[in-house]
Amino acid sequence: MKKIIFVGLCAFLFSSCTISYSFTATNNPIGSKTGTSVQKFLGAIPLGGDKQDAGYQSACKDGGITKVGLAETIVTTNGFVTKKTTTVYGE
C-alpha cells in the first residue's frame, strides 16, 4: 500500500499539464517578430515580485512589436508552481 501511495505521489509531483490555452488574432499580419513574457506563482503567491509580468504589453516590449498579429497565453502547472506564458507575434 505504501508503494502505491509513493508511486501516485511521485507521478503527481513530476507530471505537468496545460490547464489553459487561449489565443487572440487581429487583422494585422503575423510578421517575423516574437515576444514572450512569463510569470510564475507558488499557489497564489507571485514568485519574483514585481519583476515578472505575463501581460501583452511586456511581451510586445520584449519582442519590439508595435503591431500585434497573434497573441497566445498558456498556463501550465505541476501541482505547486503555476506558470503563465504570453507569446505575441507581429511586426
Side-chain angles (χ1 to χ4, degrees):
M1 184 66 175
K2 289 182 182 180
K3 287 184 181 181
I4 294 172
I5 293 172
F6 179 73
V7 170
L9 184 62
C10 286
F12 173 75
L13 291 176
F14 294 113
S15 67
S16 178
C17 63
T18 300
I19 58 172
S20 176
Y21 177 82
S22 66
F23 70 93
T24 305
T26 65
N27 289 330
N28 296 328
I30 292 177
S32 60
K33 296 180 181 178
T34 303
T36 305
S37 59
V38 179
Q39 187 171 16
K40 294 180 183 178
F41 297 91
L42 179 61
I45 302 168
L47 298 174
D50 295 335
K51 295 179 182 179
Q52 294 190 27
D53 180 15
Y56 294 116
Q57 186 174 9
S58 53
C60 288
K61 185 177 178 183
D62 176 62
I65 298 171
T66 56
K67 294 182 181 179
V68 176
L70 180 71
E72 64 181 351
T73 302
I74 301 172
V75 179
T76 57
T77 184
N78 67 356
F80 296 107
V81 177
T82 302
K83 180 179 166 184
K84 179 181 177 185
T85 305
T86 302
T87 306
V88 176
Y89 306 92
E91 296 180 343

